[in-house]
Amino acid sequence: SGIFSVISSGLPFVDVNSGAWYYDAVSFVYNKGIMNGVTSTTFEPNSTITRGMVVTMLWRMAGEPYASGTYFDDVSYGRYYTTAVAWSARNNIIEGSGANTFGVNDPITREQLAVILYRYAKYMGYSTTGSSLTGYYDANSVSSWARDAMGWAVKNGIITGSGNSRLNPTGTASRAEVAQMFMSFYEFTT
């Protein structure tokens, strides 16, 4: 583990304005090599992000450790996410989406992301104690399997509401939101 800091540099993305709320987060994940643009000049901050993309980001954050196997019927060899899914599955960071599938191209929900970050924190030996969903009127809509993880992520500032005191746990996360969550996770670890 190391000490991380936000690197200030220009971004090559024409759709990430320096005044945008997510600029620092996009700059952080881009400069750390965790997240790339959709093209060389666009980031698409408002687009949803898939489960395969998120697991690949986590794998990059872990230093790209080697793992083999596909574990799931819908994970092919030689894809950008193959090693990341194998590593995540081997270390109990991710689970499939049912019937021996991972759902690589499925948009990730906010509560799924909370669970993945929670399990990754455990894997890395970070504290996963403490939980609070206080102040969010839709806290009762968090799935039972995600309550501890979502509460931990909220309490530690990794996930914040999506506006109007809502967690929106089953809503999809945008690329900008995920960039912010990953930067907040780094801040939590330091």
Side-chain angles (χ1 to χ4, degrees), residues 11-45:
L11 292 172
F13 308 123
V14 297
D15 57 352
V16 179
N17 183 301
S18 63
W21 66 265
Y22 48 79
Y23 181 85
D24 288 342
V26 170
S27 180
F28 179 80
V29 294
Y30 176 74
N31 287 310
K32 289 290 184 192
I34 296 169
M35 200 171 186
N36 299 320
V38 174
T39 70
S40 61
T41 59
T42 60
F43 187 78
E44 295 188 19

Side-chain angles (χ1 to χ4, degrees), residues 135-138 161-168:
Y136 295 97
Y137 80 83
D138 61 348
S162 61
N164 299 324
S165 298
R166 293 180 58 229
L167 286 170
N168 192 19

Side-chain angles (χ1 to χ4, degrees), residues 58 61-62 87 93 116-124 185:
L58 198 63
M61 192 165 65
W87 166 78
I93 296 168
I116 290 169
L117 290 173
Y118 178 78
R119 290 179 180 161
Y120 179 72
K122 281 186 172 185
Y123 168 77
M124 294 298 292
F185 182 86

Side-chain angles (χ1 to χ4, degrees), residues 49 51 107-114 145 168-173:
I49 196 162
R51 290 169 51 86
I108 197 161
T109 66
R110 292 167 56 84
E111 66 184 5
Q112 287 172 348
L113 185 56
W145 52 266
N168 192 19
T170 59
T172 57

